[in-house]
Amino acid sequence: MNQGVADAAAASTESDTAAEPIVVGERVRKSYGAVDALAGVDLAVEPGEVFGLIGPNGAGKTTLVRALTGTTDVEGTVRVFGAPPTTVDAGRVGLLPQSFDPPARLTARELVDYYGGLYDAARDTESVLADVGMSADADAWYETLSGGQQRRTCVATAVVNDPDLLFLDEPTTGIDPAGRRALHQLIARLAADGTTVFLTSHAMDEVERLADRVMLLRDGDVVAVGPPAELIAEHAGRPRLEIALRDPTAVRPSECTTDDDSVTTNDAPTDGDPPAVDDGISAAVADAVDGATVESTTDGLRIRGIDPVEIGSVVDALATVGVGFDSLTWAEPSLEDVYLRLTGETYSPRSATDLTDAERRADGGTSSNGGSHTDSGSRTDDGVRPHSGSRGDGGAR
């Protein structure tokens, strides 16, 4: 083989290797007694991707993260960097669980120093503290920090090893808007530099902003997966105008006596059908905005399929039929609408408490996320992974 052909073959092989997913799950199943936490989940997370995982409480999100990080046994196949997660070099992976309780009488700087010291190569403590906005409070004991400051510190311990793959479970819980923005910028920067991020969050705006693709779990099943924009286009419906009326009952037929318990709220129906809207009002709006549909809500009306430039026409139409309003709110569909549409606002998942209790029993009495910080390897119950053995042995601790 001549050198040109050899180089081309080598480049092709390298490209094929680089294109393989960082995280792969095939038919992943996990049961805790009679509770099916995961019911055959398939997923593939690409290099450098921010992959968002969403779903109701009890959907199986935490169990899936535990499966992918090798902290619980599952049926099916799980691979991280092409290998079982328990064999992966610990320095390549970072994990921030939803519940993490590090030693309270260490300062933020000492905590980052400690966790950085568990790796052969770690980032500079001061730069990590700066990334999460903790430089000014680095010498305060963890127990004296606010909830948001504690969460920022926890994020710092998860990224101090500069991981190739980072799992973040509710990273911005309790953090103020400025802190959330700083962490969003950090996540975006990490992804831009090549880190693959697996993000679990109940903040739909956060996932919509950060994630390249999103997976929605419900009762251990994958309901939908795809880029946020595609999911929104497919499932979230059309732009809508919410109108708070001075007298919400004024737009209903005189014979309508349905109580407010049956009124639609947000973007998913509650039990029963929403009250009807007076035919004259519906006709007036439909004449003003071609293709618009009108629904009744607790506070007044929701008009779907309306562009901002058409709001004035709706106002004129309502004035024509003598309907007064207090406020108008126009909104484009969002990932939150996808979530509500696919789970149902009144959807009642299996009890998250039942799932947690089942996990606790299966683990011999220990909660599934009882404060352990499992960015790699095992730790003691107080959240500290003991120093034992060499750190230069491919991830063994």
Side-chain angles (χ1 to χ4, degrees):
M1 181 183 296
N2 64 46
Q3 187 60 46
V5 174
D7 290 344
S12 176
T13 301
E14 182 177 348
S15 176
D16 290 344
T17 301
E20 290 187 2
I22 296 295
V23 177
V24 173
E26 297 174 349
R27 301 176 299 281
V28 181
R29 295 181 176 273
K30 178 67 176 181
S31 297
Y32 296 99
V35 179
D36 293 326
L38 298 173
V41 172
D42 294 320
L43 79 158
V45 182
E46 303 298 328
E49 181 177 34
V50 179
F51 188 87
L53 180 64
I54 60 176
N57 293 329
K61 300 186 300 297
T62 296
T63 302
L64 180 57
V65 171
R66 295 185 70 200
L68 299 177
T69 54
T71 56
T72 191
D73 295 327
V74 294
E75 299 177 37
T77 300
V78 176
R79 296 191 303 276
V80 176
F81 301 115
T86 54
T87 67
V88 173
D89 179 356
R92 300 190 69 186
V93 181
L95 167 63
L96 177 66
Q98 185 172 355
S99 297
F100 172 38
D101 298 315
R105 296 302 292 270
L106 293 181
T107 66
R109 178 178 284 109
E110 289 170 339
L111 283 169
V112 176
D113 277 341
Y114 173 77
Y115 286 108
L118 298 176
Y119 303 97
D120 291 326
R123 294 183 56 198
D124 174 68
T125 294
E126 299 307 318
S127 67
V128 175
L129 290 169
D131 279 345
V132 299
M134 283 299 297
S135 295
D137 300 288
D139 294 314
W141 283 350
Y142 182 82
E143 65 181 0
T144 67
L145 298 174
S146 68
Q149 290 172 325
Q150 289 181 347
R151 198 59 178 165
R152 293 192 205 184
T153 302
C154 293
V155 172
T157 68
V159 302
V160 67
N161 58 318
D162 193 18
D164 297 319
L165 172 61
L166 177 61
F167 290 90
L168 296 173
D169 194 351
E170 300 290 347
T172 59
T173 298
I175 297 180
D176 59 47
R180 289 184 73 222
R181 178 178 297 179
L183 288 185
H184 289 173
Q185 292 171 343
L186 172 61
I187 292 169
R189 187 164 67 251
L190 289 171
D193 291 339
T195 300
T196 303
V197 181
F198 194 101
L199 172 67
T200 304
S201 178
H202 281 106
M204 295 299 105
D205 61 325
E206 180 170 89
V207 178
E208 182 178 341
R209 173 181 178 180
L210 295 173
D212 298 298
R213 285 190 302 140
V214 178
M215 173 183 285
L216 173 60
L217 277 184
R218 187 179 70 186
D219 283 350
D221 287 312
V222 177
V223 177
V225 61
E230 292 184 9
L231 294 180
I232 291 169
E234 182 176 358
H235 301 289
R238 299 178 293 173
R240 63 185 182 272
L241 180 67
E242 303 282 348
I243 305 175
L245 301 178
R246 293 169 190 162
D247 179 11
T249 63
V251 299
R252 303 174 190 170
S254 58
E255 68 274 12
C256 180
T257 58
T258 308
D259 61 34
D260 281 347
D261 289 339
S262 297
V263 174
T264 58
T265 58
N266 293 327
D267 202 34
T270 62
D271 295 335
D273 295 324
V277 178
D278 182 84
D279 289 342
I281 295 173
S282 294
V285 173
D287 288 342
V289 180
D290 186 37
T293 59
V294 185
E295 303 170 0
S296 180
T297 67
T298 302
D299 297 327
L301 293 173
R302 176 182 299 115
I303 302 175
R304 298 186 184 276
I306 177 172
D307 292 327
V309 295
E310 298 171 317
I311 294 176
S313 298
V314 171
V315 171
D316 292 341
L318 294 178
T320 299
V321 293
V323 175
F325 61 89
D326 292 325
S327 65
L328 302 171
T329 304
W330 181 85
E332 290 184 296
S334 67
L335 190 62
E336 182 173 346
D337 297 306
V338 175
Y339 179 94
L340 294 173
R341 179 67 59 84
L342 295 181
T343 63
E345 187 185 23
T346 59
Y347 166 73
S348 298
R350 75 266 184 109
S351 170
T353 301
D354 289 346
L355 181 56
T356 302
D357 289 344
E359 290 177 326
R360 185 179 297 113
R361 289 192 298 271
D363 290 341
T366 302
S367 174
S368 63
N369 60 356
S372 65
H373 177 98
T374 320
D375 57 74
S376 48
S378 61
R379 302 185 191 278
T380 57
D381 288 343
D382 64 356
V384 178
R385 181 174 53 205
H387 285 282
S388 59
S390 168
R391 294 194 300 273
D393 53 2
R397 299 275 195 268

